[in-house]
Structure formats: C-alpha cells, structure tokens
C-alpha cells in the first residue's frame, strides 16, 4: 500500500505541473504492471503545433467574426507555413491591420476573400493589389466557462 | 582525397527589433520605426525608412523626440520578451534547415554549409521561409571563412541586386568584393584599428588581405593576423560546439527615477539578485563571491557624483537566492551614502563553478535544508505562471524604481491576453 500512496502524491504534483519533482517520486517497491503500456498524456500543444516557429497565436478583438462562429476573446492558432488556402480561414494584412477572411474560388478560378459579415464587400486575393496572407487559421480556442 | 572545403553562412536579421515590432503591429509596416534603449534613453534600432530620414543610431530620445513626431516616426520602448521569443523562432527554423548553426547574437547566427551542393539556393530558401513563416527579413552571406561570410552578408544587404543572398565561395568574386569593401566593414576591425590601418595605406579589405602577415602580427596582434588570413580564404575560426557556461553573471539596470533613500534601492537590488540567481541556476552553476555596485549618473557633471562597489565572499558556493541576497544587502549597506541621487545599482555573481564539480568543504556551514528543491520549485512556478509569480517579499509588484518604458508594446507571443489582435 505504501507504494500506492507515493504514486498518488506524484500524480498530485504532476497535476500541478511540477513534473521534474514528480519524476523523482518513482515507485520504489514492485514495478507497476502498467509501466510498459504507458502513453503520453493529451497535449493541446502537440495537437495544434503550438511551440513550432511557424505557429502563432492571435486573439479576436471584437464580434465581427461571429458569422464564422468565432467570438470576441477567442484565440486562433495560425499556421504561417500552410500553403493550401482554398476554403480556409486566413489572416490577411489589409491596410489597417490583421483581418480574418474565408478564401473561396469563383467560377473562373479567381480567389476571393470573404468576410464573416456579408455586408463587407469581397476582395480579390489574386487581383492587381498585392495582399499578404499572413497565415492559415488551424484552430479556434474558446473559453466557454467564464 | 583532399579535405572537403568548409563553407560558412552568416544569417543576419534586418533591423531586428524594428522587424519584431512590425510582425505584431502591421500598421507599423508602412511607417518608419525606431526602438529605444532601457528607460527610453536613446535610439538602438532603426528601420530602413528611419535610417533614410537621417535619424542617427544612439541619438538621445529626449533630444530628437519632436523631430521624430514631425516626421511621423513611431518610437517603441524595447520589449525584450517579444524579441527573445521571435529570435528563438528564427534560430529554430535555421537549425531545422542547416546541418548545424551557432547562435552569434539575438539577431544573427552562423550556419554550416559545408558539403551543401548549392549554398546560394539554400540561402534563398532560408531567407524565403524566414520571411513567410516568421515575417523576419534577413541577409545571407556565404563564403569559405567566417570573416568572408560576414563581409558577404554586408554586401548582400548593401546591394539590392543580390536579392539579400550573396554566395562568395568563388575566389574571383571574393577578390572583386574585397577590392570594393572598406576595411572598416571587415569583421574584427574596429574604428580605432581602421584609423591605424589607414596610416599603413590599408583602405580596403583587399589591402588588408594582401598586407605582410608578419608586420600585421607585430603591429596589431594575432587577432588582426587571423583576420587577414581569413580574408585570404584560410579558415581560422571554426563553428563553436556551443557557448561555454558564463564565468560571471551580472544584473544591473538604471532606475526609472533617481533614488536617494535606501529602502527602494534595497528593493531594486533584491529584484536584480533574484534575476541573476535564476540565470545562475539555469546554467546549473553555483557562485562563491559577489560584487555589489551603486552609482549616481556619472555623466552628469553638475550634480553630486558617487560610485562604489564591494566584493564579498559567500560562506559556501550556493545558488540560493536568499543566501546571495542576504550578503548583497549587507554589501549595499556598506557602500550606500545618504543624500546622493543614485541612478543605478548592480549585482555581479562571480567565481562560478558547476554544481557537483567542487568537493564540499567538510567544515563549511551546512546549506539550508531543501534549498535546492525549493529554488527548483520557485523557478518552475515562475516559468509557467510568469516572472515574479513567486518572489522574495522585498520585491514589490509595481516598483517605483522600475524602468521607464512609456511606449512599450504588448508581449504578443508569450501572454495569452496580449496576443496579436485580429478583426473581421
């Protein structure tokens, strides 16, 4: 039983993210039968790629993206290395700051940037004016329990 | 078989601090930008547009403030958490693309391109990925020695036709550039030695490369000899395996406002000691002695001036913030004099050794029990919850002596509530 109590204390510390300390608190008696089958825990970093040089976080400043199901205060994970843009939400540098738009092709293959609010006119992405695509939105992180 | 010819690349970010600000604030892309030193003292980085307006490097901000406003130049306080994060992204991307790199400073790195079939093509693709994935413009210089690569980098930035990448592995092209480049642009040649070289009729990099090696060694020392050899294409400086642990760690900052009383200076010293001890533990070292310094603004010739420092030995090598702080405060009491308007205090940790390297003194005082574990936990909590989450009681959350940073941008990449903003 004593070995179990040490494990529990280690787990408690692990939960508080003090992993280095917790690693030292190994089972010292009988080897756990689960040890060989142990897998890495869930990690939102690994899932979203956060921490890689080309993956950036941004925050939504107002309610103008509700049409895309994105709310004020949501965080978006943006992949700046992604090159496939069609039907993706992208962050673009439009004259007065970073904007989120949906990339869609028209019948002739031209690419357009559509805003969440239908009142905002579409802008041609591959038109005469050069528009910098800053990155492709890959995840939306919302806090729903405020 | 002859040994494979070594090829070095120097990758250097353009106006690094300004570029970092621009990545996170796109409206700055269309305006000239300058970044100021600690306490908003002077200009330490300028965007190309700001340079073109004739704004000088190192200019005192309070003297040029009105001129900047008139020319619509945006000024920002230095935001080191942001610069460190973006530098880290840049270095990791380079490390991914090159066989090995050596980080030279926050904004430049050496890359090993030995054995790469087309170094210029690799240089272009590094440049392109850094621009696309991080938004950082860079220049890439490539050659057979570090000194030549550095010179190639200078040329890549100076001449637009290079597209920001210059491969100088070919001896014919090397000679062409060496004949064009002023000797003052050579890595390792400072302003003072450039003047002394001029006296010997050495005006260009080519003149230096062609000069008699023996005379150079006698007149300027072995460093200049090595520089000349490197310019001739003989590689004398290799890639480091990684920087050795620091031999001393210092933390010193100017106060935002002059301080005359002892209590706020004690607070500031506590904050600097805490930071220095954190760095000490990060490299797994212990320190045996410390130096505490205190000074007024020495450049101010009209006011009362005072500067003093005291060196003290710790009873046993330690990395415990509390031990170091107690001694540092004692040192401060020794050198503090009432009535002076102090502008800066400093702590220097010296005689560093690696943990476990020294045999403990049998008769020394026992370290506080659990000290190592406690410090580890404090560092971990601060790493995860943000600096200062757990701190010595003497350090206030919002100190009065803190640096002036009136134009500070957000920590766009390291805090969830300060991320880059987007709209619909």
């Amino acid at each position: 039983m004593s070995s179990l109590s040490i494990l529990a204390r280690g787990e408690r510390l692990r939960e508080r993210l003090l992993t280095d300390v917790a690693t030292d608190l190994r089972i010292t008696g009988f080897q756990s039968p689960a040890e060989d089958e142990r897998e890495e825990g869930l990690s939102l970093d690994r899932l979203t790629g956060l921490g890689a040089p080309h993956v950036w976080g941004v925050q939504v400043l107002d309610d103008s993206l509700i049409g895309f199901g994105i709310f004020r205060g949501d965080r978006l994970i943006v992949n700046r290395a992604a090159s496939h843009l069609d039907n993706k939400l992208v962050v673009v540098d439009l004259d007065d700051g970073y904007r989120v738009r949906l990339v869609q092709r028209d019948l002739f293959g031209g690419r357009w940037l559509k805003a969440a609010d239908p009142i905002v006119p579409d802008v041609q992405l591959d038109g005469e004016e050069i528009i910098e695509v800053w990155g492709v939105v890959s995840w939306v992180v919302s806090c729903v329990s405020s | 078989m002859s040994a494979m010819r070594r090829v070095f690349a120097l990758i250097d970010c353009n106006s690094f601090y300004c570029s970092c600000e621009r990545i996170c604030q796109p409206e700055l892309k269309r305006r000239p930008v300058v970044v100021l030193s600690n306490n908003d003292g002077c200009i330490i980085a300028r965007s190309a547009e700001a340079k073109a307006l004739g704004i000088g490097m190192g200019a005192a901000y309070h003297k040029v403030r009105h001129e900047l406003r008139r020319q619509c130049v945006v000024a920002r306080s230095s935001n080191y958490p942001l610069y460190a994060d973006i530098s880290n992204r840049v270095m990791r991307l380079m490390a991914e693309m090159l066989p090995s790199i050596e980080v030279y400073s926050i904004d430049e790195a050496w890359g090993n391109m030995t054995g790469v079939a087309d170094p210029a093509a690799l240089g272009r693709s590094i440049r392109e990925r850094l621009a696309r994935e991080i938004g950082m413009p860079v220049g890439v210089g490539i050659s057979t020695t570090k000194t030549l690569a550095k010179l190639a980098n200078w040329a890549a930035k100076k001449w637009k036709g290079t597209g920001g990448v210059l491969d100088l592995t070919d001896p014919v092209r090397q000679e062409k550039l060496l004949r064009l480049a002023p000797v003052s642009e050579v890595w390792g040649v400072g302003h003072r030695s450039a003047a002394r070289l001029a006296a010997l009729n050495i005006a260009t990099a080519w003149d230096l490369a062609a000069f008699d090696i023996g005379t150079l060694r006698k007149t300027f020392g072995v460093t200049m000899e090595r520089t000349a050899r490197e310019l001739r294409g003989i590689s004398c400086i290799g890639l480091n395996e990684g920087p050795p642990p620091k031999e001393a760690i210092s933390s010193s900052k100017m106060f935002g406002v002059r301080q005359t009383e002892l209590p706020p200076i004690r607070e500031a010293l506590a904050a600097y000691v805490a930071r220095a001890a954190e760095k000490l533990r990060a490299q797994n070292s212990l320190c045996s002695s410390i130096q505490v310094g205190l000074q007024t603004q020495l450049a101010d010739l009209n006011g009362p001036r005072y500067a003093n420092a005291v060196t003290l030995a710790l009873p046993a090598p330690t990395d415990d913030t509390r031990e170091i702080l107690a001694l540092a405060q004692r040192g401060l009491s020794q050198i503090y004099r009432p009535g002076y308007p102090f502008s800066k205090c400093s702590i220097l940790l010296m005689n560093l050794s690696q943990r476990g390297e020294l045999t403990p003194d049998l008769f020394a005082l026992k370290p506080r029990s659990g000290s190592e574990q406690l410090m580890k936990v404090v560092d971990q909590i601060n790493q995860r919850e943000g600096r200062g989450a757990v701190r010595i009681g003497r350090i206030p959350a919002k100190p009065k002596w803190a640096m002036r940073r009136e134009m500070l941008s957000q920590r766009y990449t390291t805090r969830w509530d300060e991320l880059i903003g987007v709209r619909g």
Side-chain angles (χ1 to χ4, degrees):
Chain A
M1 286 309 283
S2 64
S3 63
L4 273 178
S5 75
I6 290 173
L7 179 66
R9 196 168 129 218
E11 288 301 334
R12 256 206 323 276
L13 281 170
R14 230 175 251 133
E15 259 179 37
R16 300 182 63 186
L17 299 174
L18 303 175
T19 41
D20 283 0
V21 179
T23 322
D24 296 338
L25 300 171
R26 282 184 299 269
I27 297 172
T28 51
F30 290 107
Q31 181 62 46
S32 160
E35 197 59 28
D36 292 347
E37 307 292 328
R38 207 178 69 179
E39 294 194 341
E40 288 288 312
L42 296 175
S43 158
L44 284 176
D45 278 6
R46 283 204 304 276
L47 182 70
T48 59
L50 209 60
H54 59 277
V55 177
W56 294 67
V58 300
Q59 62 178 329
V60 178
L61 296 175
D62 58 21
D63 293 324
S64 55
L65 289 168
I66 284 179
F68 290 145
I70 297 171
F71 296 86
R72 178 205 296 257
D74 283 357
R75 270 68 166 196
L76 311 180
I77 308 295
V78 180
N79 180 353
R80 298 198 58 185
S83 51
H84 185 73
L85 306 179
D86 290 353
N87 300 315
K88 298 269 162 79
L89 289 177
V90 294
V91 176
V92 282
D93 180 11
L94 283 182
D95 9 280
D96 54 347
Y98 290 133
R99 309 252 158 198
V100 177
R101 294 282 187 270
L102 178 66
V103 178
Q104 284 194 324
R105 283 195 189 263
D106 62 21
L107 291 174
F108 308 101
R111 282 202 280 212
W112 293 81
L113 294 170
K114 292 180 178 288
D117 183 347
I119 296 173
V120 178
D122 296 351
V123 179
Q124 190 162 9
L125 178 58
D126 37 19
E128 270 172 23
E129 198 190 335
I130 296 168
I131 297 173
E132 190 209 337
V133 175
W134 196 77
V136 174
V137 178
S138 49
W139 293 89
V140 179
V141 182
S142 288
C143 181
V144 289
S145 63
S146 52
Chain B
M1 210 175 89
S2 67
M4 193 183 284
R5 187 180 57 162
R6 307 180 76 175
V7 179
F8 299 90
L10 180 72
I11 301 141
D12 182 11
C13 302
N14 300 350
S15 312
F16 180 69
Y17 294 169
C18 296
S19 299
C20 290
E21 297 286 345
R22 282 178 161 173
I23 290 168
C24 304
Q25 302 158 81
E27 65 276 15
L28 297 187
K29 285 182 194 163
R30 294 162 275 270
R31 296 181 62 179
V33 181
V34 296
V35 174
L36 309 174
S37 61
N38 286 344
N39 277 320
D40 297 343
C42 54
I43 292 172
I44 52 167
R46 302 161 299 162
S47 69
E49 300 80 357
K51 282 178 198 164
L53 288 173
I55 295 161
M57 186 69 164
Y61 177 61
H62 70 270
K63 285 188 186 157
V64 296
R65 182 190 313 203
H66 297 295
E67 186 58 21
L68 295 181
R69 195 169 304 155
R70 199 179 60 78
Q71 298 188 307
C72 297
V73 179
V74 181
R76 288 278 180 267
S77 306
S78 37
N79 182 347
Y80 289 108
L82 175 68
Y83 308 155
D85 181 79
I86 293 184
S87 170
N88 190 285
R89 288 172 189 256
V90 167
M91 299 306 168
R92 276 188 301 158
L93 201 144
M94 281 197 255
E96 203 179 285
M97 296 187 76
L98 286 155
S100 62
I101 70 163
E102 176 197 331
V103 177
Y104 183 59
S105 64
I106 190 167
D107 63 345
E108 56 187 319
W110 302 101
N112 179 7
M113 284 202 178
T114 306
V116 171
D118 188 347
L122 178 58
R124 281 192 296 272
S125 89
I126 291 172
R127 190 169 183 275
E128 192 222 325
R129 277 192 63 186
L130 285 172
R132 187 160 49 96
E133 298 178 20
I134 298 171
M136 181 56 67
V138 298
V140 183
I142 301 162
S143 197
T144 48
T145 70
K146 274 188 163 180
T147 306
L148 284 169
K150 185 102 180 166
L151 203 61
N153 184 288
W154 167 78
K157 285 188 173 176
K158 191 168 170 64
W159 285 293
K160 291 273 173 283
T162 59
V165 179
L166 184 61
D167 177 1
L168 214 64
T169 44
D170 171 32
V172 179
R173 300 186 74 193
Q174 275 175 16
E175 181 179 335
K176 210 169 135 191
L177 178 66
L178 289 180
R179 286 184 186 278
L180 278 172
V183 74
S184 56
E185 294 299 338
V186 173
W187 186 43
V189 177
H191 284 296
R192 207 176 294 166
S193 39
R196 287 174 66 204
L197 287 166
L200 296 173
N201 273 337
I202 300 176
T204 65
W206 179 256
D207 298 336
L208 179 59
F211 207 81
D212 176 57
I213 289 282
T215 315
L216 282 179
R217 188 192 316 144
K218 263 185 244 147
T219 328
F220 297 92
V222 40
T223 318
M224 189 65 79
E225 175 196 348
R226 204 171 57 174
T227 301
R229 283 189 198 278
E230 284 241 317
L231 287 175
R232 291 179 183 183
I234 305 158
S235 176
C236 310
I237 313 168
L239 280 178
N240 286 349
E241 301 309 323
K246 291 191 192 75
E247 285 167 20
I249 291 173
S250 76
S251 179
S252 77
K253 290 187 186 80
M254 304 283 280
F255 304 135
V257 186
R258 306 273 157 86
Q259 300 293 334
T260 49
E261 304 300 319
L262 189 55
I265 300 176
R266 283 204 184 287
E267 287 177 9
L269 181 64
Y272 303 163
V273 167
R275 182 72 194 109
E278 217 174 270
K279 287 190 205 168
L280 183 72
R281 294 190 292 270
Q283 65 170 41
N284 209 14
S285 298
L286 302 173
C287 91
S288 308
S289 59
I290 62 170
Q291 188 182 67
V292 185
L294 183 64
Q295 65 173 70
T296 60
Q297 179 71 279
L298 297 178
D300 177 9
L301 296 176
N302 301 321
R305 296 192 296 160
Y306 173 82
N308 203 352
V310 59
T311 305
L312 302 160
L314 283 149
T318 183
D319 64 0
D320 188 320
T321 305
R322 298 165 300 172
E323 303 283 347
I324 302 170
L325 181 58
L327 188 65
Q329 295 291 14
R330 220 178 314 148
L332 179 64
S333 307
Q334 287 178 26
I335 55 173
Y336 172 77
R337 300 284 178 277
Y340 286 98
F342 291 106
S343 65
K344 183 181 183 175
C345 78
S346 61
I347 177 78
L348 180 68
L349 308 183
M350 299 181 300
N351 291 339
L352 306 191
S353 54
Q354 285 301 98
R355 185 175 269 285
E357 181 184 270
L358 290 181
T359 316
D361 182 348
L362 193 62
F363 303 105
L365 286 172
K366 267 200 164 162
R368 296 193 200 198
S369 74
S371 149
E372 197 184 334
Q373 288 284 43
L374 176 69
M375 289 299 130
K376 210 180 209 178
V377 170
V378 166
D379 287 346
Q380 281 175 347
I381 292 174
N382 284 338
Q383 225 170 49
R384 289 186 172 113
E385 303 299 322
R387 181 158 297 148
V390 179
R391 57 180 190 272
I392 297 277
R394 197 183 276 281
I395 309 171
K398 285 209 165 67
K400 289 189 194 72
W401 38 264
M403 281 193 291
R404 255 198 320 272
R405 284 171 163 181
E406 280 161 11
M407 290 144 291
L408 185 64
S409 46
Q410 296 171 194
R411 287 162 293 183
Y412 292 104
T413 54
T414 48
R415 294 291 170 116
W416 282 110
D417 49 352
E418 296 182 19
L419 291 177
I420 298 169
V422 296
R423 292 189 162 84

